[in-house]
Amino acid sequence: MPSSRVLPRPSAQRYEQVSIEELGTPLLDVTFVVVDLETTGGSPKDSAITEIGAVKVRGGEVLGEFQTLVDPGCEIPPYISVLTGITSMMVATAPRIGTVLPAFLEFARGAVLVAHNAPFDLGFLKAACAQNGVTWPPAASVDTAVLARRLLSRDEVPNCKLATLAPYFSATTSPTHRALDDAKATVDVLHGLFERLGPLGITTLEELTGLTRQVDPERLRKRHLADGVPRGPGVYLFRGPRDEPLYVGTSNDLRSRVRSYFSSGEQRSRITEMVALAQRVDAISCAHDLEAAVRELRLIARHKPRYNRRSRYPERALWLRLTDEPFPRLSVVRRVRPGAGVFLGPFPDRRAADAAMAAVHESLPLRQCTSRIPVRAPSGAACALAGMGRCGAPCTGAQSVDEYASIAAVFRAAVHQDARDLVAPLLARVDRLAAEERYEDAAVLRDRVAVLVRAVRRRQRLESLAAVLELVIARPDGSGGWHLSVVREGRLVAAGTAPVGTSVRGRLPGLLATAETLPGPDDEHATSVDETELVLRWMEKPGTRLVELTGTLACPAPGTGPFTRFLDRVESGRSGRDPFADGRSLGTRTRPERVSAGAGVRPGAPIASPA
């Protein structure tokens, strides 16, 4: 008789009511203080607050406003006054920030701080608190720029700037670079973004703050690609379905960097697309950061991965060439050929090359026609430039070879050693145009001269290193040892280390014996311009030591030294044109990542990082 057994009765399923804390704080009950600042510049290290504007809202209702000008304790730069409309006269009688802070912090007490580009506004407020001995209170924060990027697509808005989002959400107040107006516009943007949260099931503050930390499940499933990646400096390659290189990068900690691609910290749209295609990650360990950077550069130039933007096409670099003929002229070329003339560059694009050429033609009456002029019995007709005094008309015989050569010699001297005769007349013309109040013309010429001087400086620096037959340099590794590099004619040919307790000299024979042999003919450059610049920057870091040198390492004098202050003024003016610009990559995406309500938020977890 078959045996039988009694099966236990299934236990009744238990249901538990979650606590109020686990449900989270409904957005309807959260008090938000939307804040915006105006400042004298872009960094709290050297700039100060000139105006604070804030709006307190809860449940779609405005509870209060806060606005005050602030005396920054310094003159407001003119370009800031043009941008914001706030002058030094307006803030002369305003309170200092130490007086304003307690009132603002009381206004915002217990609220969640909101700002468009929160790192900028909250960074200035934190710095002001630190300078005045005021404790910054712990508070949650929301960045509407980041939230917009998470919720909007490129079909809706091209970017997440406040000036773009305000009209898209039909804000009642337009951004004007005044604190209260911009805060009011940000309130409307915030409410417009909140309307996008309902269909996603996001109704609590905890879910809102967790939204920007969510990771697409498809990306999470690829975290295993980082399992075999080692630690330490090196290069990594993401490979696609056909084993093709998709993206090449470098890091001082390969494993941590590769793992970051599968987290919420990586927000670049093209990288999101790349990770979705990736099937494998290859890693190449390197001796130090310079070797890693050089290998990255070479791999990008060789494979041209579709998701790398920089350095993919070094062969497309442009050069300004003074031709090798009796009556030389300037032309834009893509290749440097030894013995084919004098070359200046490289330039990143045609616009920069044309600007440098225009500056040279402004300074020197070089011919601009393209035909070759015979030395004997030239019989051409003079062009309009000759009539304007901008060409000596060698095509008509009005200018001899020797007379023309003296003009071309100014350009040759500028490229190789002394740029004063080429650049000084241009700067004098800039000053003359400014004195005549032709400011736009002066600015155009100034920018052209800056492009020219930078190109000359870059060329001279590159040539100084490319002329050195062999160079051994060492840098401290931070733990008592040394990073070693062997450079020949500007190309990194060997890299190694000398750990603490070992001799640098003792490591050199093995390093030199395994160094790469220079490729190509002796009269051509041994490597790319970008690689030589990497080596130069590594050499110029503090703590670098020269171990061995074969040849001469020297820069020409005076070079572009007399124009250093001019370049500094141009650069400072450029950086000050939009000091409040958000430098983060916050462009919208064609297809935003999948969003789910409350994903990644644990009950009882902190609602946000302290602002």
Side-chain angles (χ1 to χ4, degrees):
M1 183 177 180
S3 61
S4 62
R5 57 192 179 94
V6 179
L7 297 177
R9 296 178 61 185
S11 59
Q13 187 172 359
R14 298 179 60 190
Y15 295 90
E16 294 183 3
Q17 172 67 48
V18 296
S19 64
I20 295 299
E21 289 75 11
E22 290 174 324
L23 290 175
T25 309
L27 290 175
L28 191 65
D29 298 333
V30 176
T31 301
F32 296 94
V33 168
V34 182
V35 62
D36 186 83
L37 306 180
E38 301 304 330
T39 65
T40 60
S43 171
K45 295 180 180 179
D46 53 14
S47 304
I49 298 171
T50 58
E51 186 180 29
I52 300 178
V55 180
K56 183 183 294 187
V57 294
R58 184 173 62 238
E61 180 184 355
V62 175
L63 304 180
E65 295 179 354
F66 181 97
Q67 189 275 335
T68 181
L69 291 171
V70 180
D71 179 6
C74 61
E75 289 291 322
I76 299 177
Y79 66 91
I80 296 293
S81 294
V82 172
L83 188 65
T84 66
I86 301 174
T87 64
S88 297
M89 183 72 69
M90 292 171 60
V91 299
T93 59
R96 298 297 296 271
I97 188 63
T99 305
V100 173
L101 277 175
F104 170 75
L105 294 177
E106 178 62 27
F107 178 79
R109 185 174 59 169
V112 175
L113 294 176
V114 180
H116 199 81
N117 187 12
F120 176 87
D121 298 288
L122 301 189
F124 265 93
L125 289 171
K126 289 180 184 178
C129 286
Q131 293 167 4
N132 289 273
V134 178
T135 301
W136 177 258
S141 65
V142 174
D143 190 331
T144 49
V146 175
L147 189 59
R149 188 174 190 269
R150 190 68 175 170
L151 297 174
L152 303 177
S153 70
R154 191 172 298 161
D155 292 335
E156 297 173 293
V157 289
N159 56 61
C160 295
K161 297 179 180 179
L162 183 59
T164 302
L165 297 178
Y168 177 76
F169 286 113
S170 302
T172 56
T173 305
S174 299
T176 60
H177 268 306
R178 289 300 300 267
L180 187 57
D181 283 348
D182 288 5
K184 289 179 178 179
T186 305
V187 169
D188 290 335
V189 170
L190 179 68
H191 289 158
L193 293 171
F194 278 1
E195 292 177 2
R196 299 297 185 96
L197 299 177
L200 300 175
I202 297 174
T203 59
T204 69
L205 179 61
E206 288 77 5
E207 292 169 340
L208 173 65
T209 54
L211 176 62
T212 56
R213 297 193 294 268
Q214 288 184 32
V215 184
D216 192 329
E218 295 179 8
R219 186 188 293 193
L220 283 175
R221 281 194 289 269
K222 293 195 173 184
R223 285 182 296 183
H224 67 278
L225 297 180
D227 290 346
V229 177
R231 294 198 176 275
V235 182
Y236 54 89
L237 294 86
F238 281 85
R239 293 189 178 273
R242 297 183 300 276
D243 208 39
E244 74 279 17
L246 297 175
Y247 184 80
V248 179
T250 181
S251 175
N252 284 324
D253 188 340
L254 284 170
R255 185 173 178 82
S256 296
R257 183 67 186 103
V258 172
R259 286 175 63 90
S260 71
Y261 284 92
F262 310 107
S263 70
S264 61
E266 181 53 70
Q267 293 290 328
R268 292 172 292 178
S269 56
R270 76 181 192 284
I271 299 301
T272 299
E273 182 180 325
M274 182 274 296
V275 172
L277 294 174
Q279 301 296 318
R280 191 173 93 240
V281 179
D282 293 340
I284 304 172
S285 295
C286 298
H288 47 65
D289 57 339
L290 176 60
E291 183 188 7
V294 168
R295 285 185 180 273
E296 176 194 33
L297 199 64
R298 294 177 185 174
L299 286 170
I300 292 174
R302 181 189 310 161
H303 297 294
K304 297 176 173 41
R306 59 189 288 195
Y307 291 100
N308 282 97
R309 286 183 175 174
R310 294 183 297 176
S311 307
R312 278 202 299 175
Y313 300 102
E315 66 275 8
R316 294 183 181 178
L318 298 174
W319 300 76
L320 206 56
R321 172 195 174 204
L322 183 68
T323 57
D324 186 22
E325 54 183 312
F327 297 100
R329 63 183 178 85
L330 291 177
S331 63
V332 178
V333 298
R334 291 196 181 276
R335 184 182 177 189
V336 175
R337 293 185 291 117
V342 178
F343 294 85
L344 175 63
F347 296 93
D349 50 44
R350 184 66 189 236
R351 182 178 179 181
D354 288 344
M357 180 187 286
V360 175
H361 283 147
E362 187 82 21
S363 177
L364 301 175
L366 291 171
R367 71 183 184 97
Q368 300 183 34
C369 52
T370 58
S371 59
R372 193 175 184 90
I373 301 177
V375 178
R376 297 182 179 180
S379 57
C383 63
L385 291 174
M388 297 167 59
R390 299 185 61 178
C391 177
C395 56
T396 66
Q399 197 171 32
S400 68
V401 173
D402 292 339
E403 290 171 339
Y404 192 90
S406 65
I407 297 172
V410 175
F411 180 78
R412 291 192 179 92
V415 173
H416 295 303
Q417 184 173 6
D418 189 352
R420 287 178 293 184
D421 290 343
L422 176 65
V423 177
L426 296 172
L427 295 183
R429 177 166 171 76
V430 170
D431 292 338
R432 187 165 59 254
L433 290 171
E436 295 171 0
E437 298 185 358
R438 296 168 58 186
Y439 299 119
E440 292 184 358
D441 293 337
V444 170
L445 182 56
R446 176 205 62 200
D447 291 342
R448 289 176 177 173
V449 176
V451 171
L452 175 63
V453 174
R454 290 193 195 99
V456 171
R457 171 170 291 186
R458 187 183 188 191
R459 179 67 172 163
Q460 292 177 355
R461 280 166 42 83
L462 293 171
E463 287 298 320
S464 67
L465 185 58
V468 177
L469 297 179
E470 185 174 277
L471 177 70
V472 181
I473 47 182
R475 280 190 46 74
D477 65 1
S479 58
W482 294 88
H483 291 154
L484 307 177
S485 296
V486 181
V487 181
R488 293 174 181 165
E489 298 181 15
R491 181 182 180 90
L492 180 69
V493 295
T497 60
V500 59
T502 61
S503 168
V504 171
R505 293 286 180 183
R507 293 272 179 168
L508 281 186
L511 202 59
L512 294 173
T514 58
E516 174 190 1
T517 302
L518 291 180
D522 293 339
D523 59 348
E524 290 190 3
H525 290 288
T527 188
S528 68
V529 170
D530 291 338
E531 180 172 333
T532 303
E533 287 190 317
L534 283 175
V535 175
L536 276 169
R537 288 197 292 268
W538 202 75
M539 287 175 53
E540 293 171 349
K541 290 180 179 179
T544 305
R545 299 290 185 267
L546 179 61
V547 181
E548 286 189 357
L549 173 67
T550 303
T552 302
L553 178 62
C555 290
T560 57
F563 308 109
T564 299
R565 294 184 61 186
F566 163 72
L567 290 178
D568 290 342
R569 289 198 302 270
V570 173
E571 192 62 33
S572 64
R574 176 187 301 179
S575 61
R577 289 174 188 174
D578 191 0
F580 313 118
D582 191 343
R584 298 172 296 174
S585 176
L586 290 174
T588 48
R589 303 173 183 175
T590 303
R591 181 182 67 86
E593 290 183 318
R594 189 179 305 163
V595 173
S596 57
V601 182
R602 304 185 315 274
I607 60 176
S609 300

